[in-house]
Amino acid sequence: MASKVYYTDLRTNPDHHLLYKLEKLVRKAGIGNIDFNGKFTAIKIHFGEIGNMAYLRPDYAAVIVKIIKELGGKPFLTDCNTLYKG
């Protein structure tokens, strides 16, 4: 069976900003079908490092946290950092 792929464009307007589109996308993809009720739920993000611009902005994580809480979950943020000289 082929996988379903969901996507959205990055065009925005005052009524359809990127955070709105993120929420719409994850709901369409079926996040509501996952049993989060009473369960701890890790949201893996990259907290960033000096000079790094490739990290998840907090407002995007907040959208996912809100949805998981609505579904009865207990979300928390986590990362898998490495220790290196860089």
Side-chain angles (χ1 to χ4, degrees):
M1 184 168 141
S3 299
K4 291 183 181 181
V5 177
Y6 299 90
Y7 68 94
T8 189
D9 62 53
L10 297 177
R11 285 178 276 174
T12 63
N13 63 50
D15 295 323
H16 295 92
H17 49 80
L18 289 178
L19 298 177
Y20 166 83
K21 288 185 165 200
L22 172 61
E23 182 170 351
K24 184 177 175 184
L25 186 67
V26 296
R27 288 188 189 278
K28 179 72 174 177
I31 196 169
N33 298 326
I34 300 171
D35 178 16
F36 291 108
N37 196 31
K39 298 176 181 170
F40 288 103
T41 304
I43 299 174
K44 197 273 184 210
I45 65 171
H46 177 48
F47 291 110
E49 57 193 32
I50 296 174
N52 183 10
M53 297 302 290
Y55 59 92
L56 181 67
R57 291 182 7 205
D59 47 352
Y60 288 92
V63 169
I64 304 303
V65 166
K66 180 188 84 155
I67 295 169
I68 291 171
K69 283 183 173 182
E70 285 175 7
L71 297 170
K74 301 175 183 180
F76 64 95
L77 304 178
T78 186
D79 196 357
C80 55
N81 293 315
T82 59
L83 179 61
Y84 63 90
K85 191 172 185 174

